[in-house]
Amino acid sequence: MLGIIDQIFINKYGQDLVNIDPFKILFSNFNIENKRDYLEGIISLIIQSKPQNEDIEPAIKASGLRPTFTPCVLLKKGVANHNLIKLINLPDFELEKTLVLLMSLFKIGYKRRFIEEKNNPDKWWYWDLSQPNIENEILKDHS
């Protein structure tokens, strides 16, 4: 389960407010169990963003990964939850690629939903996170 700070940071990525590099650094410091837990949390956010199979090719392209890499080959089977979970169970040396690919998939679905739901008072994750006061309000509500 991702904490609120992680969720905010990932949603900032979805809004193009941060790039992938801090996630790679954070992820590289996790042990294998924490890596898998973190990826599972990202998958939950992906599912919430309602990905579509049409998002797969753009996600692979945006990730900068070769389409022949194992995570990309597995993702091509579809965005159903059971397919995404298979990515978490890849060997440790594949997990950074999985992180990058899942974040790319997240961003595509997130942006589509962000346009539809921007500033929905019941969904903080679609608020404009470029505003520091918004982040502070979210943290206050979740403390």
Side-chain angles (χ1 to χ4, degrees):
M1 184 76 172
L2 295 173
I4 190 66
I5 292 172
D6 291 316
Q7 291 177 51
I8 291 169
F9 200 53
I10 292 168
N11 285 298
K12 281 184 168 187
Y13 176 80
Q15 293 181 23
D16 288 320
L17 300 173
V18 294
N19 67 30
I20 193 70
D21 294 334
F23 294 97
K24 288 178 169 180
I25 293 167
L26 175 69
F27 195 74
S28 71
N29 290 309
F30 291 157
N31 66 34
I32 187 73
E33 184 179 314
N34 289 344
K35 286 180 180 181
R36 294 187 198 287
D37 288 346
Y38 194 78
L39 293 172
E40 191 173 321
I42 293 169
I43 288 174
S44 294
L45 295 178
I46 290 170
I47 297 301
Q48 179 181 339
S49 294
K50 298 185 176 155
Q52 301 170 0
N53 286 328
E54 297 76 34
D55 298 337
I56 294 171
E57 290 301 326
I60 292 170
K61 185 174 183 175
S63 74
L65 299 172
R66 289 188 208 148
T68 55
F69 285 163
T70 304
C72 298
V73 171
L74 287 175
L75 184 60
K76 289 178 184 179
K77 294 180 180 189
V79 295
N81 190 45
H82 67 275
N83 288 330
L84 298 177
I85 294 298
K86 290 177 185 175
L87 297 170
I88 294 174
N89 296 315
L90 288 172
D92 189 18
F93 68 90
E94 297 280 10
L95 294 182
E96 184 177 306
K97 292 179 213 155
T98 298
L99 169 72
V100 171
L101 182 60
L102 288 176
M103 292 294 285
S104 294
L105 180 62
F106 166 76
K107 186 182 277 192
I108 291 168
Y110 177 88
K111 282 185 172 183
R112 184 173 40 249
R113 294 293 305 265
F114 183 75
I115 291 167
E116 297 169 10
E117 306 239 21
K118 188 172 184 182
N119 296 322
N120 180 328
D122 299 321
K123 298 180 179 178
W124 66 260
W125 47 95
Y126 296 125
W127 296 353
D128 180 358
L129 298 174
S130 67
Q131 306 299 316
N133 60 321
I134 297 291
E135 187 173 342
N136 292 335
E137 183 179 331
I138 295 165
L139 290 170
K140 186 178 81 178
D141 289 346
H142 287 84
S143 60

